[in-house]
Amino acid sequence: MNRRTLWVTLGAVATTMGLALPAAAQTWPTRPIKLVVPFPPGGLIDNMARLVAPKLAQELGQPIVIDNKAGAGGNLGAGEASRAAPDGYTLLMASPPLTINPALYKKLPYEPKQIVPIGLLGRVPNVLVVNPASGIQSLADLTARVKARPGQLNYASNGQGTSLHLSAELYKSQAGVFVTHIPYRGAAAGLTAVMADEVSFMFDNLPSALGLINGGKLKALAVTTPQRSSALPGVPTMEEAGLKGYQVFAWFGLAAPAGLPAAVQQKLEQSLERVAQQPEVKAAMQKAGAEPTWVNAQGMASFMQADTAQWKKVADYARISLE
């Protein structure tokens, strides 16, 4: 038997015995995949999941079924995903609760290390808005008004411990102002309160506020990302408006239960990257007010760690602790 024949024979034996595990893992997926979305249908993260899922399904050759598991500030869906088998057939639509909640909650229904990132797809600015009739034309105007009436003015959010709430608390900590938080049942109710002049300001995800801003019902003072938004190019960033180092954005990507086979993780990441680079996907994200931003698994892990550290500082400052 010559050397070439020997290697062919040994390779065939190894395959028959199931020893070629990386090659076997690369046959994944062979059945539909579940994508857990930890929010109700119709919101930003759900909309982005429904944009990406069919494109990723085409790449992988299997259907992706969206499963909305809303509740507990995103903890319910994350907990379910963390307990799933790490075989690539349960994925999680990753979003800010994965980095905010570990900084806020005394106890989570999962350990953060039980969820691993696959890739970050996009970022969404929050936008600071006021009533157009308020006379406030800039962030400096708002800060001056709040400082002139410490503790007498209010701001709205979509609930305790959300990114919108913490965006305002970060502003308060950096600007040195005292203003009272009024949590509403959802962002829409909070924006209505701003328009009714019940509160002085609110931070919101740009996509949900954009129509009201363009329609003249809200005035945008600043966006929270390091760069201006392509959807509101005339609106400055918080840093341009005077708060050095202020940086907040909603974000979305894909994650999975820890322990995925290396070949499955690699295939997922590569497939997701190809989806992220598709011109029609980028255009759809931009139309929704998001900024396409591909970051691989390693970079996403570093970002998530830094984001949790920032929110821990804000939570400590604001004395926010949730059960």
Side-chain angles (χ1 to χ4, degrees):
M1 180 182 298
N2 60 35
R3 180 176 297 178
R4 181 178 182 278
T5 304
L6 175 62
W7 283 116
V8 171
T9 302
L10 289 175
V13 170
T15 301
T16 302
M17 294 176 64
L19 300 178
L21 292 179
Q26 288 173 5
T27 63
W28 172 90
T30 59
R31 54 185 171 86
I33 298 165
K34 180 170 72 173
L35 175 58
V36 177
V37 177
F39 295 100
L44 170 69
I45 303 304
D46 178 71
N47 289 341
M48 293 299 101
R50 293 176 190 278
L51 167 65
V52 170
K55 302 291 186 180
L56 186 59
Q58 290 175 3
E59 290 286 336
L60 297 174
Q62 288 291 339
I64 295 180
V65 180
I66 291 178
D67 184 13
N68 293 93
K69 289 290 183 183
N75 285 337
L76 187 64
E80 177 171 313
S82 73
R83 294 186 294 272
D87 54 11
Y89 290 101
T90 299
L91 305 176
L92 173 68
M93 196 67 185
S95 58
L98 286 183
T99 53
I100 292 175
N101 290 353
L104 299 184
Y105 283 82
K106 293 179 180 179
K107 187 176 181 180
L108 294 171
Y110 66 95
E111 290 289 335
K113 65 182 180 182
Q114 291 178 289
I115 297 173
V116 296
I118 301 300
L120 192 147
L121 291 162
R123 296 173 175 173
V124 180
N126 288 342
V127 59
L128 172 58
V129 294
V130 297
N131 189 312
S134 66
I136 297 171
Q137 299 297 316
S138 66
L139 178 63
D141 287 349
L142 175 63
T143 301
R145 182 170 297 189
V146 174
K147 284 186 174 180
R149 301 174 61 186
Q152 299 178 47
L153 302 181
N154 303 324
Y155 76 89
S157 86
N158 60 336
Q160 186 83 354
T162 64
S163 70
L164 307 184
H165 173 204
L166 294 182
S167 292
E169 292 298 329
L170 182 59
Y171 160 61
K172 287 170 58 179
S173 70
Q174 292 194 359
V177 296
F178 175 34
V179 58
T180 303
H181 174 217
I182 307 295
Y184 286 81
R185 286 183 175 272
L191 293 176
T192 299
V194 176
M195 291 185 287
D197 206 26
E198 296 174 3
V199 295
S200 296
F201 68 91
M202 178 176 170
F203 286 84
D204 191 23
N205 295 140
L206 178 57
S208 59
L210 190 57
L212 295 172
I213 294 168
N214 289 337
K217 295 183 178 181
L218 292 170
K219 179 172 180 58
L221 300 183
V223 294
T224 61
T225 38
Q227 296 82 31
R228 294 191 181 197
S229 168
S230 59
L232 290 175
V235 176
T237 67
M238 291 288 284
E239 185 157 6
E240 288 174 331
L243 285 187
K244 297 298 181 184
Y246 188 106
Q247 178 176 315
V248 174
F249 44 80
W251 55 273
F252 54 93
L254 211 61
L260 286 179
V264 171
Q265 169 112 11
Q266 182 180 29
K267 187 173 182 179
L268 256 178
E269 184 177 343
Q270 291 173 346
S271 299
L272 190 64
E273 181 176 10
R274 287 194 292 270
V275 169
Q277 302 303 339
Q278 293 179 15
E280 62 269 29
V281 171
K282 290 183 177 181
M285 288 183 187
Q286 289 171 328
K287 185 177 180 180
E291 302 291 343
T293 311
W294 169 252
V295 179
N296 65 17
Q298 184 176 0
M300 185 177 173
S302 298
F303 155 72
M304 290 175 65
Q305 184 176 15
D307 206 42
T308 297
Q310 172 178 261
W311 293 129
K312 181 68 167 62
K313 291 179 182 178
V314 174
D316 289 347
Y317 169 84
R319 298 180 181 179
I320 303 170
S321 181
L322 304 180
E323 296 292 339

